Amino acid sequence: MFAPRTTPWPLVALFTAGYLPPYLLPTTVGRLDTSLPLSTTQAGAVGSALLLSSATAGLLLASRVRSLGPRTLARLGLALAFLGYGTAALTTAVPAVVAGAVVGGFGSGTAMTVAASLIAAERDPHRASTVGLLSVSALAGAVYLTVPHLGRAHGLPLAAIALTALAVWAPAGRLPDGTADAPAAHGTGDTGAAPLPHRRSGLVLAVAVLCWSLAQNSLWGVSGRIGLTQAGLGDAALGAVFAVALGAGLVGVLAAGALGPRLGRAVPVGAGTVLIGVCIALSASATTPAAFATGEIAWNTFYPVVLSYLIGLAASLDARGRWAVLVGSACSLGSAAGPLTGSVLSAQAGYPVMGLVLGAGLLLLAAPMTAVALHTGGRPLLPGAIRRRGGTPAALVAAATGTPSGAVPEVGAVEQPVVEIDVEAPAVAERGAYDTAGPRQAAATPGSGTG
């Protein structure tokens, strides 16, 4: 009997708290620029510092989640996020805002690290990541619709992130804690000391995802300014466009969840990245509200789809979650460099040229990411991959080979009894049952010999 698929809601909540800061990056950077004595480039640098701190948390904690305990580590990250973003929201002193953003970024990066590690141990990593992306997209869309009506204070989006971290504190108490409670990768009860598998594929994927994320966030970090200054949108209309774009992202994530592994990962990753590059070029060159809205909505439809498959691809490389965390940290590093890169490119060459440069870069990145998906997505089920203790290996191999979810039965964590079935042994063939090649005599019967 197949194990029922249940949604790990505490994990989804933690995922939402960890991923919300990058989703709110345009309004966060834009309000720092307009509400504080900061230039456009300086505001982008603050956004980059926030995301760089988040990526640092992932790099430092990638192999320590199980040893420190997911619940303890998650709550530590949530506490830092609440204190850091809350402080940055309540003060107008630039040094305090920067310090709070950096502390908060480390906290949200810690939450993101725990979420990525535990998602990799799920029997269906792609499903868990798509539900998480649905949650964070819906919340970010609600913030974009609400915040413009509350004023132009720089602290409103930061306060939204801080309150989200506070709200997730209670659900995080249901996460496993310590190595005894944490999900054991491949049913071995490992502590993460085993060598990192698929190093070449993982390294190529991490570098490609870093550049992929940098291109996305280079535009995302300046999208607010493009809409206001180049496309002629007002503040409320711009918030509505972002909310609709994130709503379209919800549709994209739902489509990705329904599609699952039917097309593998190579097609969604490769073709989706090409489409994203086209959308970025369109959005950056928009001079009318309609063109800007079209580019942003189309881009945000495809972006979470590709991201969900990239998360699943990284999780399939190592069920202990190390590649998922490292690739996620590389994504955060790219995100960190994005706002500053976008600000510098747009200031030096203008928004349309920036869009063309970023779009061309994404076209080039589609090749190595597709290659990794093809190389790791067709690995056959190896002997001994399905163990009697725990069903994670079977589920992960099924996801990696494109097997529909549920095709491999999930085995409980308790040792299962072995049922012996008596099978009648076939009769042993005798030497006389074989004859030399050639036409049979008319009287001979099949299987008879001449002696």
Side-chain angles (χ1 to χ4, degrees), residues 20-451:
L20 186 60
Y23 270 70
L24 296 183
L25 191 64
T27 185
T28 301
V29 172
R31 285 168 178 265
L32 291 175
D33 181 12
T34 57
S35 301
L36 296 177
L38 294 172
S39 66
T40 298
T41 302
Q42 289 172 334
V46 175
S48 293
L50 185 158
L51 296 176
L52 180 61
S53 180
S54 179
T56 302
L59 294 173
L60 292 176
L61 302 172
S63 61
R64 296 178 173 86
V65 173
R66 284 187 174 82
S67 61
L68 297 176
R71 185 195 311 156
T72 301
L73 201 56
R75 282 192 153 179
L76 174 62
L78 294 172
L80 290 175
F82 175 72
L83 293 175
Y85 292 124
T87 300
L90 295 175
T91 182
T92 57
V94 173
V97 171
V98 174
V102 170
V103 172
F106 192 90
S108 56
T110 301
M112 191 186 306
T113 299
V114 176
S117 179
L118 294 183
I119 282 176
E122 286 290 310
R123 57 179 175 270
D124 191 346
H126 183 261
R127 180 172 181 269
S129 62
T130 52
V131 175
L133 288 171
L134 279 173
S135 175
V136 70
S137 297
L139 180 58
V143 172
Y144 276 115
L145 284 176
T146 305
V147 163
H149 301 286
L150 300 178
R152 288 294 305 167
H154 79 282
L156 290 173
L158 295 169
I161 302 172
L163 292 176
T164 300
L166 180 63
V168 175
W169 176 271
R174 299 174 58 188
L175 295 172
D177 196 18
T179 56
D181 297 330
H186 289 258
T188 62
D190 63 272
T191 61
L196 195 63
H198 312 304
R199 294 193 176 189
R200 181 177 300 175
S201 296
L203 183 59
V204 170
L205 182 63
V207 173
V209 166
L210 187 154
C211 298
W212 183 87
S213 180
L214 185 148
Q216 313 287 331
N217 285 277
S218 292
L219 179 65
W220 190 235
V222 298
S223 286
R225 295 200 293 275
I226 294 175
L228 291 172
T229 61
Q230 183 171 282
L233 288 164
D235 192 46
L238 180 65
V241 169
F242 285 149
V244 173
L246 291 173
L250 293 176
V251 176
V253 174
L254 286 172
L259 184 63
R262 290 179 179 86
L263 296 179
R265 294 192 182 97
V267 172
V269 167
T273 297
V274 171
L275 290 173
I276 288 173
V278 174
C279 293
I280 283 180
L282 173 63
S283 182
S285 62
T287 56
T288 64
F292 177 77
T294 300
E296 290 288 320
I297 291 170
W299 171 36
N300 280 277
T301 300
F302 295 118
Y303 167 77
V305 174
V306 178
L307 179 60
S308 69
Y309 280 96
L310 288 174
I311 292 173
L313 178 58
S316 71
L317 295 178
D318 177 29
R320 296 179 178 90
R322 290 169 293 178
W323 274 124
V325 173
L326 291 173
V327 170
S329 299
C331 185
S332 296
L333 284 174
S335 300
L340 185 58
T341 302
S343 297
V344 172
L345 275 176
S346 60
Q348 297 296 323
Y351 295 122
V353 174
M354 179 198 72
L356 290 176
V357 171
L358 298 177
L362 286 172
L363 294 182
L364 295 176
L365 288 172
M369 292 195 299
T370 302
V372 172
L374 287 172
H375 177 68
T376 61
R379 187 173 293 107
L381 186 63
L382 300 177
I386 301 180
R387 293 179 173 83
R388 291 169 54 208
R389 184 182 297 275
T392 302
L396 286 175
V397 174
T401 56
T403 305
S405 178
V408 179
E410 176 78 3
V411 184
V414 181
E415 188 78 13
Q416 301 295 314
V418 177
V419 180
E420 296 184 0
I421 302 177
D422 295 330
V423 180
E424 184 179 354
V428 180
E430 297 181 359
R431 176 65 183 88
Y434 302 93
D435 203 349
T436 57
R440 293 182 181 275
Q441 298 179 1
T445 58
S448 65
T450 60

